[in-house]
């Protein structure tokens, strides 16, 4: 739960300890906006603020599932200019993400990295309980491939954000979010699973 702004202070603390960290960011949106309603800190800007403060190792940032409406004709330009790898949702449609995650593991190497998972990275058919749903997103199975694909990386932190149960009377979004967060905790270094 919580909006994606929460990742910003977490990454400030982690970068103070580890230096700039890599990032696997699953989301419908890049969250690299500059301002909204005159505010520089909001749920659509955390990763721009992180870049500005040198909190991210930009060559080790991967954003997966990006799609949806934009106010800009080239909404991913800023990310590419920073050196982020942007994986649009359409590159994920109807296929396993295990090959992508092999590439991501190689890109992350053994340096500290963080996993930030916005529930709207998934298609609203599975996770309608979020504030900014976008059609044609990832499936729960693909979400598991991403998370499980991070096993063995030097994960120093993680989050799962933007779950808004009041927008989903079925409770499925909260259930999915809880399960994905559990899966993420299971891939943290030193966690033993069966």
């Amino acid at each position: 739960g919580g909006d994606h702004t929460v990742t910003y202070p977490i990454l400030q603390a982690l970068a103070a300890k580890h230096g700039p960290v890599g990032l696997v960011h699953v989301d419908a949106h890049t969250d690299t906006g500059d301002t909204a309603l005159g505010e520089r800190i909001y749920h659509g800007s955390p990763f721009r603020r992180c870049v500005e403060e040198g909190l991210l190792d930009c060559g080790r940032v991967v954003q997966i599932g990006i799609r949806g409406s934009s106010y800009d004709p080239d909404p991913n330009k800023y990310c590419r200019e920073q050196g982020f790898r942007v994986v649009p949702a359409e590159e994920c449609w109807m296929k396993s993400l295990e090959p992508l995650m092999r590439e991501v593991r190689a890109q992350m190497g053994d340096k500290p990295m963080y996993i930030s998972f916005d529930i709207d990275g998934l298609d609203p058919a599975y996770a309608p309980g979020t504030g900014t749903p976008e059609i044609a997103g990832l499936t729960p199975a693909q979400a598991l491939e991403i998370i499980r694909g991070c096993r063995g990386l030097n994960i120093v932190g993680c989050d799962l954000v933007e779950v808004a149960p009041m927008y989903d009377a079925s409770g499925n979004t909260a259930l999915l979010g809880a399960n994905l967060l559990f899966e993420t905790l299971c891939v943290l270094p030193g966690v033993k699973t069966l």
Side-chain angles (χ1 to χ4, degrees), residues 71-90:
Y71 301 109
D72 192 304
D74 187 1
N76 303 327
K77 181 180 179 198
Y78 175 85
C79 300
R80 290 192 313 271
E81 289 174 346
Q82 307 316 307
F84 295 5
R85 178 177 181 181
V86 178
V87 182
E90 54 265 27

Side-chain angles (χ1 to χ4, degrees), residues 4-183:
H4 222 153
T5 310
V6 72
T7 307
Y8 175 40
I10 293 170
L11 289 175
Q12 286 176 316
L14 289 172
K17 180 174 182 177
H18 300 284
V21 298
L23 174 69
V24 171
H25 172 211
V26 181
D27 203 321
H29 314 95
T30 63
D31 290 354
T32 54
D34 193 11
T35 61
L37 303 173
E39 296 297 326
R40 291 178 39 82
I41 298 175
Y42 72 104
H43 70 99
S45 71
F47 300 114
R48 182 178 288 249
R49 303 290 84 89
C50 289
V51 167
E52 292 169 350
E53 291 185 24
L55 309 178
L56 296 174
D57 179 353
C58 293
R60 293 190 312 118
V61 173
V62 180
Q63 298 181 301
I64 305 170
I66 306 302
R67 64 191 187 283
S69 56
S70 174
Y71 301 109
D72 192 304
D74 187 1
N76 303 327
K77 181 180 179 198
Y78 175 85
C79 300
R80 290 192 313 271
E81 289 174 346
Q82 307 316 307
F84 295 5
R85 178 177 181 181
V86 178
V87 182
E90 54 265 27
E91 291 181 18
C92 303
W93 291 344
M94 297 182 282
K95 62 179 163 185
S96 170
L97 299 186
E98 286 184 5
L100 169 65
M101 292 312 296
R102 281 194 294 274
E103 295 173 9
V104 169
R105 279 195 304 277
Q107 184 176 353
M108 292 297 146
D110 61 0
K111 295 179 183 174
M113 57 84 62
Y114 187 86
I115 301 169
S116 187
F117 203 114
D118 186 323
I119 201 71
D120 73 23
L122 278 80
D123 191 272
Y126 307 106
T130 189
T132 51
E134 302 282 0
I135 65 160
L138 304 175
T139 68
Q142 289 174 317
L144 290 177
E145 287 178 319
I146 294 167
I147 293 167
R148 292 176 181 178
C150 290
R151 182 183 306 280
L153 294 176
N154 185 6
I155 304 166
V156 294
C158 59
D159 63 48
L160 188 137
V161 298
E162 300 287 348
V163 174
M166 65 278 210
Y167 296 144
D168 180 4
S170 74
N172 286 340
T173 307
L175 175 66
L176 181 55
N179 277 272
L180 293 177
L181 190 53
F182 173 78
E183 290 276 343

